[in-house]
Amino acid sequence: MAQLEHLSTPVDAVVSRMRAIGATLPERDGVAVFNRVYLTVTEEVDRHLDIGEFPDPRAAIALDVRFAERYLAAVDAAAADRRPPACWRPLFQLRRHPGVRPLQFALAGINAHIGHDLALAVVDACRTLGCEPPDLEDEFDRVGEFLVALEERIREDLMPGPDLLQIADPLTHLLGSWSLERARDAAWVAARALWALRHCAGMAEEFAERLDTAVGFAGRMLLTPLTD
């Protein structure tokens, strides 16, 4: 039986862009660390789209692409010496700090992207598709499953060694202070709130700005430089 031909989708364009970003950055650069993590997630989503595992591929593609565009916009802003959103600033400011470990870079990027970008991406996708957040809940949950599964692998791959098992290691405390599942749940609540406020432009903008600031503060704490 002949293999089905892969049809190019907007997700493929996102994957290509992330690969290009990774090719230009030093391996230890904090943005490069997160980019590798995010590329893995996006490739996994793309693979599951190809084999038909999303009930509504059009909705899944819209959400995935709108989500990725917010990260790519932050990369573009930093490259052009413009200020990225507050949630991303700690990662770009500390990306070369020798006292920040790769696992911290990965989690800080995930924090920015899940804690802030995901909520706005749901709203973006709803506007693109002409639907409401509950219509995207299945796709939201499916993408979230990939992220949660990947987080465990990230921690295993980027752990610095046996010292992490010591309760006195500062990284142990940082890891315990943040949860992807809680961040994902909060993003869904924020998306629904932003959608409810969509006709109140001033309030929606203030809500999004405060969310951006709060997530940026959490990211800065995750990137606290640690001694070996």
Side-chain angles (χ1 to χ4, degrees), residues 2 26 112 162 181:
E181 288 194 64

Side-chain angles (χ1 to χ4, degrees), residues 144-156:
E145 288 169 8
F146 294 140
L147 292 165
V148 170
L150 185 65
E151 185 193 17
E152 182 176 348
R153 199 163 80 204
I154 291 166
R155 292 179 185 245
E156 290 175 356

